[in-house]
Amino acid sequence: MRVFQGLACEFLNHAAVWEAPVLASGVPRKPAPLMAKLRTVFVCSSCGNESPRWQGQCPSCAEWNTLSAYHPPAASRRSGIERPALADAAPRGLAEIVSEDAPRLPTGLGEFDRVLGGGLVTGSVALIGGEPGIGKSTLLLQAGAALASATPVLYATGEESVRQVGLRAQRLGIAGAPLKLLAETSVEQVLAQAAAASARVLVIDSIQTMTAESVESAAGSVAQLRESAARLVGYAKRTGTAVLLIGHVTKEGVIAGPRVLEHMVDCVLYFESDSGSRYRVIRAVKNRFGAANEIGVFAMGEQGLKEVRNPSAIFLSRHEEPVAGSVVTVAREGTRQMLIEVQALVDPSHATNPRRVAVGLEGNRVAMLLAVLHRHAGVALHGHDVFVNVVGGVRLGETAADLPVLASALSSLEGKALAQDLVCFGEVGLAGEIRPVPFGEERLREAAKHGFRRAVVPRANLPRAGIEGMDVIGVGRLVEAVGALR
Ligand code: TYD
Ligand code: MG
């Protein structure tokens, strides 16, 4: 009986890798009963979408040749039997849970705490993405060293040797920190060591170098990323360890297999930088414990990353003399106001189709604004090339940048510089109306703090009590704005 059972299982295992044969009539032959079919899904490396069969093009994101086979390992299959017990699996009252305070660990870097929503939450998983060499390892080594003075921290590196990390720590002046280092790429080993060291914070540098034993594909593949991250997330939730994952971004600027990882973790932070600039901006793209879109600003120096506590004017370069085609606006990034210069160059065009180039702004929106300027303020630019640029490599996605775009274009067209102590912001509607933007008063206060004395803003954004030392002009229509700016 035993032998027979064994043979039957053997047969079924072989049969499982076969597709169900199809009869000539096109009707699939009924599969053998109790066939233990090995589940295979095809995962897109670009968007993380799962398809039941291989296709040349991903049905979700339409990318080509991004699907690869993935066999979910037995332990993570949804059988319901093997699912590990969660620490708080039993249902509990909401009030009871809310009354417990979520312990947060300060990372020693105020700006990093800020993007995390006020420090590192225990039991949470954060993914820190960025291009190679931008400073991910540096940041987490610094934060790890600071955290280590209060709580056990394990820094697992699959990229560099322990010696290399040690040398970097020496350079950063944090070699004395009681931080534990481990050069390892096996997730199982890392988790075993983390448990042995009772680590409360675990840094993984990087998730692309980690491999889970049950998955056969190479490190960095979607299957490995998914499984390694799933193990780390499970461990974080079970033990209350805060896990920080470093993830490299591909040339398209996304973490490889982005959706796969982004769904699994609690926070997704991206490093941004203008090439050649020493400033590094970390942006929270997703945060279950704080505001999304919050930014933290650092400067990379000889001694690693230093936080920039008052970054609102770092992208602002004051011109010696007022120049035509330049205006300062106040953008809102997360919960903070940033002063940013918008420049335009408007020049007579000799081409049949004049050029419209927007850098740091959406091109279609700029074209739309120029049409509004023509229709509602009588300023025609169809014989001119228009170039608009946001200084400092910053991207402005807000509609508050509408009015500054038109103000700079007008100033360039007329060759008349705007006052140097002037700021403006506001959304421009297709009917030529100037619409209010959120946080008008906060924007004006920030500008006043940096010495701006005049502002042209949407009428609905006029502060009731005024802003000390600032002359604020509220405008309701584009013609009024043009009048106020001229
Ligand atoms: P790193 O943290 O290794 O980047 P990542 O882990 O994102 O790949 O950062 C390396 C870069 O930072 C490298 O170009 C050198 C620079 N750097 C400094 O300028 N100052 C420093 O103190 C350190 C440690 C690095
Ligand atoms: Mg690194």
Side-chain angles (χ1 to χ4, degrees), residues 59-79:
S60 171
C61 69
E63 282 288 317
W64 287 92
N65 295 325
T66 51
L67 261 57
S68 56
Y70 173 56
H71 306 282
S76 67
R77 271 191 236 158
R78 282 182 222 124
S79 64

Side-chain angles (χ1 to χ4, degrees), residues 137 159-160 205:
S137 304
E159 304 241 326
E160 295 163 272
D205 187 2

